[in-house]
Amino acid sequence: MRTTRCQLLLLGVLSGLLIAVPKLDAQQPAAAAAKPAAPVQPFPPLNAQQQQQLDRVLLAWQQKSQSTKTLECKFERWHYDLLAAPAGVHAHKAEGVVKYANPDKGLFRVDNIMFYKGMKDQKPEYGPTANKFGEYWICNGTQLIEYDREQQQCNLQELPPNMQGTQIFNSPLPFVFNLDAKQIQQRYWVCLGESPKPNSFLVQAFPKLQEDRAQYKMVQVVLSADYEPEVMIMYAPNFHQKLAPQWDHYEFTDVKRNAIGAGIQQFMGNFIPKQPPASWKITKQNFLPPQIAQGNQAPQGSAPQ
């Protein structure tokens, strides 16, 4: 799986969900490349009370997240895909770590991944797959370094100036662990849903921009009572509950903010290597933005259930 801006701010956190879309063939009718119709808000307008409650939650979340100098946590991710496993059964489960140092240093690494192998006695069985390791990438502020452990090679992508420093959050998912309440409402249609458990908040965000909608249909984030992200669910661009139920479910544990004793340089040195492994093949290129999907527009309607 190629690194996408979704994963890039999966510090923001996190998933690497990019639906591959074939490029339009030159012989296809011109109408196929026509600009899609502008999306509309997928839920009714919020009343004054709903908007006030949303503003209160987003501002509290912003205050919590923007005090972050360093952050590290563990995650579990369940990937659901009807083409890879039966309905209601996850296709694979990954476990890994996320680290972040303000404003633009980060790591996302899968340490263990187990794949669906079939059903036995009406129960799903899981196991490793040879030479399948999951995603592993690092951002050192000026480069996005993708470690392909299957091929034993590194892909170094040079970040343009407009994506360095604090502007690295000008990517999908600039929220979760680093939120700007005003920017989120400018870029997404946001509302509160019914939280799955007491003393928590469910924030639902639908992307307005085509570049974001090409990567996911909606993001749901469950916040604890003290506005710490606990769960994030990302729905595929073409998600349909019956026809195309594909999504990633993340849970975050052992979240540590600003828990550094020896200073930020030592913290960064623990996960920002000076160079890739010497024995690996190294490729270099400029940062490639995600391909804009022409045919994967998320259908409008009610929020996924």
Side-chain angles (χ1 to χ4, degrees):
M1 178 183 293
R2 290 190 59 80
T3 301
T4 71
R5 291 191 301 172
C6 276
Q7 290 175 312
L8 180 60
L9 276 147
L10 259 175
L11 310 169
V13 176
L14 301 293
S15 155
L17 182 60
L18 177 62
I19 303 303
V21 181
K23 294 182 179 179
L24 290 172
D25 188 89
Q27 301 301 317
Q28 289 181 294
K35 186 177 180 179
V40 296
Q41 181 170 301
F43 53 83
L46 303 182
N47 59 38
Q49 182 178 359
Q50 292 171 327
Q51 186 63 55
Q52 289 175 0
Q53 184 181 16
L54 174 64
D55 291 342
R56 179 178 59 81
V57 170
L58 292 182
L59 286 173
W61 187 7
Q62 173 181 291
Q63 292 173 358
K64 175 80 174 185
S65 65
Q66 291 193 345
S67 64
T68 302
K69 293 184 175 66
T70 65
L71 177 142
E72 53 186 314
C73 73
K74 297 178 181 179
F75 72 86
E76 293 181 284
R77 179 185 66 197
W78 293 264
H79 176 67
Y80 292 85
D81 184 349
L82 196 60
L83 297 179
V89 175
H90 59 271
H92 58 73
K93 178 186 176 182
E95 299 176 345
V97 296
V98 173
K99 293 187 178 184
Y100 165 71
N102 185 283
D104 56 11
K105 311 293 191 299
L107 170 147
F108 177 86
R109 186 184 69 226
V110 171
D111 293 326
N112 181 54
I113 185 166
M114 304 291 281
F115 295 87
Y116 172 72
K117 299 296 185 179
M119 301 294 290
K120 184 177 181 180
D121 298 329
Q122 299 183 331
K123 294 182 179 180
E125 290 192 316
Y126 295 89
T129 296
N131 207 33
K132 296 293 183 182
F133 300 97
E135 308 95 307
Y136 176 16
W137 59 259
I138 289 172
C139 181
N140 61 17
T142 59
Q143 296 173 318
L144 189 63
I145 307 172
E146 183 179 8
Y147 290 76
D148 186 341
R149 291 173 285 187
E150 298 175 18
Q151 302 297 324
Q152 291 194 353
Q153 67 180 34
C154 287
N155 179 31
L156 278 64
Q157 297 188 47
E158 299 291 337
L159 294 173
N162 64 350
M163 284 195 67
Q164 296 180 18
T166 58
Q167 293 305 310
I168 198 171
F169 284 96
N170 187 28
S171 64
L173 297 192
F175 45 94
V176 184
F177 287 132
N178 196 308
L179 176 91
D180 185 303
K182 182 178 180 180
Q183 289 184 6
I184 288 300
Q185 295 194 74
Q186 290 175 344
R187 190 162 184 169
Y188 301 85
W189 288 294
V190 187
C191 65
L192 295 179
E194 184 176 351
S195 183
K197 60 181 183 179
N199 300 318
S200 63
F201 307 93
L202 173 61
V203 179
Q204 303 183 120
F206 297 80
K208 297 179 180 180
L209 302 181
Q210 168 61 17
E211 62 193 76
D212 296 335
R213 291 185 290 118
Q215 299 183 70
Y216 48 87
K217 178 179 181 177
M218 185 183 77
V219 178
Q220 293 178 317
V221 180
V222 176
L223 301 173
S224 66
D226 61 349
Y227 305 99
E228 195 71 78
E230 295 182 336
V231 175
M232 182 181 76
I233 303 176
M234 293 185 67
Y235 296 88
N238 60 344
F239 176 88
H240 186 282
Q241 189 168 359
K242 294 182 178 179
L243 302 179
Q246 185 181 91
W247 73 93
D248 284 333
H249 177 122
Y250 285 88
E251 293 189 6
F252 308 109
T253 57
D254 295 338
V255 178
K256 300 175 183 177
R257 292 182 188 270
N258 306 327
I260 54 176
I264 192 169
Q265 293 301 322
Q266 180 173 333
F267 175 84
M268 290 191 295
N270 289 335
F271 72 92
I272 302 293
K274 294 182 179 180
Q275 60 185 11
S279 61
W280 285 24
K281 177 182 177 181
I282 300 175
T283 61
K284 296 182 179 181
Q285 63 187 119
N286 292 328
F287 176 75
L288 298 176
Q291 185 178 6
I292 300 301
Q294 295 291 338
N296 271 2
Q297 312 318 319
Q300 303 301 320
S302 59
Q305 301 297 315

